[in-house]
Amino acid sequence: MKSQPAGIYGVLGNPIGHSLSPVMHNAAFEAAGVNALYAAFESSDLKGSIAGMRALGIRGMSITIPFKISVIPHLDELDSMAEKIGAVNTLVNSDGRLKGYNTDGLGAMKALQTKIDLSGKRCVLVGAGGAARGIGFMARESGMELVVANRSMDRGRALADFLKCPFIPLERIREIRVDVMIQTTPVGMFPHEDEFPVPADVFRKEMVVMDAIYNPLETRFLKTARAHGCDTISGLEMFIHQGAEQFRLWTGVNPPMDVMRAVVRKGLEK
Ligand code: NAP
């Protein structure tokens, strides 16, 4: 008989039914020999959920839509990056003290770094929503020179002000020369895989192109970039790397990334 798990972890969001975090983290715990269990918690009661986490001694939690910002007032402490980004995707419970972190942007940078040295590179962020904020912040921290390209002027300018970088309307994206393009809008996500967020002629073969979307594994955006000779990175890599950083924070153990990638890929192919 298996012993009781030494630690319970989970993901808190709403809806949560399609999350691949449980399959990823449970496989990682098993492969790394960590005696722990990871569950999905769907709730519309954020305050009660966080009180429950403290009361039950849940050791760590992934935080997803719609709680990434609203969870902050319920925590005891924020990591400096999460504080600057203004959003949290990871909680660590140390003897009842909850600290919030943000591994989304770091995950994106780790995925990009597998293809390119980031320092001094010019990068356009397509989109200005929640994902763009964390990715943009860490891209700037990594030494990239940023431009925000967005459909709506107000949201695009607000993010560009936050990142202290220029803004360009999405329809003028062809006018800029960049080394890296990061697509952060939900355009092209399942079940709307035919949708396309940028003019098809923006790609140049020397560019590294990443999509935050991981369902489908290769979006039409990435297929088109690849057809133009660009080096491409799927949102799957960003997802795996942000999960790997969570795993490191919770366990202090090196994440078994190949196992995590394989189970998430299998889950997406179903
Ligand atoms: P969000 O806040 O809803 O994104 C809104 C942004 O998308 C805005 O900039 C919006 O432009 C733009 N947009 C929406 N529809 C558009 C359209 N038809 N044409 C052009 N722009 C459009 O979403 P999010 O939370 O940032 O998430 C974005 C994507 O990132 C999702 O697919 C999510 O699954 C993915 N994501 C992936 C990971 C990962 O680990 N791989 C992590 C986080 C998020 P306007 O301002 O003009 O409305």
Side-chain angles (χ1 to χ4, degrees):
M1 200 176 86
K2 271 194 164 179
S3 60
Q4 287 288 326
I8 307 282
Y9 296 81
V11 54
L12 176 64
N14 196 349
I16 207 67
H18 295 294
S19 173
L20 288 163
S21 291
V23 79
M24 174 171 72
H25 283 297
N26 282 320
F29 286 141
E30 189 165 350
V34 176
N35 186 17
L37 190 80
Y38 186 105
F41 298 105
E42 182 168 305
S43 172
S44 48
D45 176 6
L46 175 61
K47 191 175 169 203
S49 300
I50 297 300
M53 180 179 176
R54 290 181 198 274
L56 299 173
I58 293 173
R59 297 244 185 112
M61 197 78 94
S62 307
I63 301 293
T64 188
I65 290 169
F67 300 133
K68 286 189 178 185
I69 296 170
S70 53
V71 74
I72 291 175
H74 301 281
L75 307 180
D76 301 303
E77 203 183 336
L78 273 187
D79 166 69
S80 63
M81 290 299 172
E83 185 166 13
K84 286 176 193 155
I85 294 165
V88 156
N89 80 330
T90 310
L91 304 186
V92 177
N93 183 354
S94 311
D95 299 324
R97 234 186 120 65
L98 300 189
K99 182 167 178 178
Y101 295 82
N102 192 317
T103 69
D104 280 332
L106 183 58
M109 293 309 109
K110 295 245 171 184
L112 264 180
Q113 277 163 341
T114 62
K115 301 276 187 184
I116 189 171
D117 176 17
L118 306 183
S119 180
K121 298 294 187 305
R122 278 179 60 79
C123 169
V124 63
L125 275 181
V126 177
R133 195 174 163 93
I135 294 172
F137 185 84
M138 290 310 293
R140 200 189 66 182
E141 290 289 302
S142 306
M144 287 206 276
E145 216 180 288
L146 289 175
V147 181
V148 171
N150 195 49
R151 179 181 61 178
S152 78
M153 201 85 124
D154 49 349
R155 209 162 7 174
R157 276 199 203 286
L159 181 63
D161 288 349
F162 169 70
L163 296 172
K164 299 185 178 55
C165 75
F167 163 75
I168 189 163
L170 194 51
E171 69 269 17
R172 289 181 45 206
I173 193 170
R174 285 188 203 86
E175 296 171 22
I176 51 175
R177 292 277 173 277
V178 291
D179 308 297
V180 177
M181 181 178 290
I182 309 178
Q183 196 306 105
T184 73
T185 79
V187 180
M189 195 162 78
F190 177 84
H192 304 290
E193 290 116 312
D194 283 341
E195 291 179 7
F196 199 78
V198 293
D201 58 356
V202 294
F203 300 113
R204 276 178 294 279
K205 70 173 185 324
E206 62 277 10
M207 280 165 52
V208 174
V209 177
M210 183 162 87
D211 202 333
I213 295 172
Y214 54 86
N215 188 9
L217 271 170
E218 190 179 45
T219 54
R220 196 176 147 212
F221 170 80
L222 281 192
K223 270 190 194 127
T224 311
R226 190 162 55 84
H228 282 78
C230 303
D231 214 348
T232 62
I233 309 171
S234 160
L236 171 71
E237 286 305 306
M238 175 179 161
F239 181 69
I240 299 300
H241 280 276
Q242 65 78 30
E245 294 309 311
Q246 297 183 315
F247 189 86
R248 222 187 286 280
L249 283 169
W250 292 330
T251 65
V253 170
N254 265 343
M257 294 193 55
D258 289 347
V259 171
M260 295 164 85
R261 184 176 291 110
V263 293
V264 173
R265 187 174 275 275
K266 202 165 152 198
L268 285 169
E269 282 164 359
K270 265 186 193 161

